[in-house]
Amino acid sequence: MTQPALMNTYGRLPVAFQRGDGVRLYDTNGKTYLDCISGLGVCSLGHAHPAVTDAISAQAANLLHTSNLYSIPLQQELAEAVCRVSGMERVFFGNSGAEANEAAIKLARLYGHSKDIKAPQIIVMENAFHGRTMATLTASSNRKIQAGFEPLVSGFSRAPFGDIKALRKFSRFNSKIVAVMLEPIQGEGGVNVLPENYLKELRELCDERDWLLILDEVQTGNARTGSWYAYQQLECVPDIVTTAKGLGNGVPIGACMARGKAADLFQPGNHGTTFGGNPLACAAALAVINTIEQEDICTNALKQGAYIRNRLKGRIGSFKHVKEIRGLGLMIGIELTLPCKQLVTQALEQGVLINVTADNVVRLLPPLIFSRDNADQLLDVLCPLIEALPASAAA
């Protein structure tokens, strides 16, 4: 689709959507699609959810923005709600996951300088993705998105994802380390799941070395994995946790939360934002949190996610080109042994929206209101496409 007035930053699919309703989107020609990617994990409550719509409409008619020069009651209310469900103590609101991760990186550096470490180092992971600002781009591990933007930001060391022994080696040879930053499940990197007990052991190592543990839950948070945050299922409480995506169900908002020794590092003048935490975004996020609680969204994410993964294993798990089916809650990855980007267009033609990441992983992030019937429709389209992939790839 030619869009000459826009910078050429996206390889867009040949479709434009006019409206949405629940788990479905409708294009400008009236065709209906089952949304199994929910705006890259953003519209977790589906499209045009009445509680979110009502909250946005009421707030827009009252007050959109005042800036953080003044107290914002809705921001304080949201902060209390976010801290309650996360177990954190303080929160900074921005506009995106990248901004939340920038705040976390600044907290870690500030923590290092408070310990008189002049050039603090943060350990990040192979296959990580934390954003596209200069610091988060550097913290990420994708040369395709880094190329051409050098020099990258200093202060990061990289370790293998899920290898606790490698981290222990870092601790012996680098006295400038102040934090470890990782996703509990890597999203863009291929829906990679950590080994059992890894986060528990990492928490113990961080305590031993006086490091901060930073978890990027931009994609995994807000009930996506079947709990408010993935770490709540993994026997680990971080010092800093970031989130965004599903928090506003489409309204841009990000959050950097902290507890303990990280909670009071920021002081006036250390960090800020013009739009972050404004009344409109906070009203939307409060509606999301209330809906997740009232409708038991976490339980549905666990139930439907387990059903989809089990059905996938039963229908396509034995094929030689299907390497692994993995995930948690309604964050699901199907790793194949060959590139599979053509599946996105093939599914689109049949009215189902999916995503491929890391070239050979089908990523599913359906709305958390997904039903059994929705899951069956997805499976009935996706499984035959995956089964036929070797033949279509050879054609």
Side-chain angles (χ1 to χ4, degrees), residues 184 187 201 206 212 228 230 254 302 310:
E201 294 178 23
C206 288
L212 295 178
W228 279 104
L302 283 174
N310 288 335

Side-chain angles (χ1 to χ4, degrees), residues 67-335:
S67 90
N68 285 291
L69 293 174
Y70 313 103
S71 296
I72 303 173
L74 278 172
Q75 187 181 114
Q76 179 60 39
E77 185 180 349
L78 178 60
E80 291 171 359
V82 166
C83 288
R84 173 175 55 80
V85 300
S86 67
M88 297 291 111
E89 297 171 10
R90 291 185 182 272
V91 58
F92 174 87
F93 291 113
N95 307 286
S96 67
E99 287 185 37
N101 285 333
E102 283 276 347
I105 290 166
K106 289 180 71 173
L107 280 173
R109 289 190 169 195
L110 197 59
Y111 175 68
H113 284 285
S114 75
K115 298 172 65 177
D116 293 324
I117 298 173
K118 303 301 182 184
Q121 294 277 315
I122 301 171
I123 298 176
V124 291
M125 301 294 150
E126 294 176 359
N127 299 314
F129 181 83
H130 297 293
R132 292 179 182 267
T133 61
M134 284 307 300
T136 58
L137 184 75
T138 307
S140 300
S141 182
N142 186 333
R143 281 301 301 157
K144 290 181 180 179
I145 66 172
Q146 292 174 341
F149 299 108
E150 297 85 354
L152 300 177
V153 177
S154 62
F156 296 96
S157 300
R158 201 165 303 282
F161 184 68
D163 187 342
I164 198 69
K165 291 182 180 179
L167 286 182
R168 291 194 178 277
K169 289 180 181 178
F170 272 90
S171 70
R172 290 198 295 269
F173 299 112
N174 191 337
S175 62
K176 295 182 179 181
I177 295 170
V178 297
V180 179
M181 182 176 186
L182 74 160
E183 304 150 273
I185 301 174
Q186 292 181 329
E188 294 292 325
V191 194
N192 301 314
V193 180
L194 285 166
E196 189 176 357
N197 294 325
Y198 174 86
L199 277 184
K200 182 180 179 181
E201 294 178 23
L202 178 56
R203 175 72 273 176
E204 293 170 354
L205 177 61
C206 288
D207 290 339
E208 289 172 14
R209 301 297 179 180
D210 200 26
W211 299 342
L212 295 178
L213 175 54
I214 305 169
L215 291 186
D216 174 347
E217 295 234 25
V218 169
Q219 190 167 138
T220 54
N222 307 297
R224 169 60 55 189
T225 58
S227 54
W228 279 104
Y229 295 93
Y231 64 82
Q232 293 168 329
Q233 300 180 60
L234 301 173
E235 297 186 66
C236 171
V237 181
D239 300 294
I240 300 169
V241 58
T242 61
T243 197
K245 289 193 181 289
L247 182 57
N249 207 60
V251 175
I253 185 169
C256 176
M257 297 166 275
R259 70 175 185 95
K261 57 193 174 187
D264 296 315
L265 288 168
F266 277 159
Q267 297 299 314
N270 286 147
H271 198 47
T273 171
T274 296
F275 294 102
N278 72 25
L280 182 70
C282 290
L286 278 166
V288 169
I289 290 176
N290 291 336
T291 301
I292 289 173
E293 290 186 313
Q294 292 167 7
E295 298 186 7
D296 200 12
I297 296 295
C298 288
T299 297
N300 191 64
L302 283 174
K303 179 181 176 182
Q304 301 304 337
Y307 175 77
I308 292 170
R309 289 192 302 277
N310 288 335
R311 288 294 308 277
L312 285 169
K313 290 174 183 177
R315 292 181 65 169
I316 63 171
S318 62
F319 299 147
K320 291 182 179 180
H321 61 287
V322 177
K323 184 175 180 180
E324 187 178 18
I325 297 163
R326 55 182 179 255
L328 186 63
L330 280 170
M331 183 175 183
I332 299 167
I334 308 163
E335 183 177 359

